[in-house]
Amino acid sequence: MRLGIDIDGVLTDTLKFKWKYGAEYYGISINDICKDTYEIRDIFNVSHEKEIQFVREYFFEYYCSNNYLRPFASQVLNDLHNQNNEIVIITGRTEEDIATFGLCTTMRAITENWLKSCDIPYDELYLEISNKPAKAIETKVDC
């Protein structure tokens, strides 16, 4: 079976990371943030410039480069892969994200290194996918 898996918000707990480190970064109590939204600038009521500063200083270094993984995600995917299932990673992560924040690497390199460091097996990796269901159909993902 071919299994389509997203990274951000599926393998990782993106919001928990944003809440914890954003509150620390902006000096705001976690009790005083807006938890009904996804964008950093809306969660913390900050400008786009302050959002970019946080992402530059924290997001790529800590979230995209370290093992900020949901519990058991690696174990479950390894078990599925060892049962001859194909793992197809489909993510919206883009090279534009890297260019916007002025980092000297590629999103593919960051993502591949992160997957390896987290012991996440995969057979195919697709980045910059805005329509993940369509990509899943195109790549013949079963579920």
Side-chain angles (χ1 to χ4, degrees):
M1 183 173 285
R2 289 174 57 82
L3 306 173
I5 308 289
D6 192 5
I7 296 175
D8 301 310
V10 177
L11 295 179
T12 64
D13 191 344
T14 311
L15 284 174
K16 187 175 178 182
F17 176 88
K18 289 177 182 180
W19 296 344
K20 177 182 177 185
Y21 289 99
E24 177 183 301
Y25 182 80
Y26 295 116
I28 300 171
S29 168
I30 202 159
N31 297 323
D32 295 331
I33 64 174
C34 178
K35 295 183 179 177
D36 297 331
T37 187
Y38 187 79
E39 298 299 329
I40 293 166
R41 64 184 162 271
D42 298 328
I43 295 170
F44 299 102
N45 194 26
V46 296
S47 68
H48 181 66
E49 291 76 22
K50 289 191 181 274
E51 177 183 38
I52 288 174
Q53 288 173 346
F54 169 71
V55 172
R56 272 193 192 131
E57 294 178 32
Y58 271 77
F59 209 70
F60 288 108
E61 181 176 349
Y62 294 103
Y63 176 77
C64 293
S65 301
N66 292 322
N67 297 348
Y68 210 84
L69 187 67
R70 288 188 189 267
F72 306 107
S74 174
Q75 179 183 344
V76 168
L77 288 178
N78 273 287
D79 288 348
L80 290 166
H81 201 248
N82 290 337
Q83 294 168 9
N84 295 319
N85 293 293
E86 292 179 58
I87 307 296
V88 180
I89 306 288
I90 302 173
T91 181
R93 292 180 175 194
T94 69
E95 294 302 336
E96 183 180 331
D97 293 337
I98 294 296
T100 299
F101 301 111
L103 301 175
C104 298
T105 187
T106 66
M107 184 57 82
R108 178 166 290 279
I110 287 173
T111 302
E112 287 174 342
N113 289 336
W114 181 83
L115 290 165
K116 182 178 180 180
S117 71
C118 292
D119 192 30
I120 300 293
Y122 64 96
D123 299 286
E124 297 171 33
L125 172 61
Y126 298 98
L127 283 82
E128 303 196 43
I129 306 302
S130 59
N131 188 337
K132 294 170 196 169
K135 188 65 171 182
I137 291 168
E138 175 191 326
T139 58
K140 297 182 174 43
V141 165
D142 297 308
C143 71

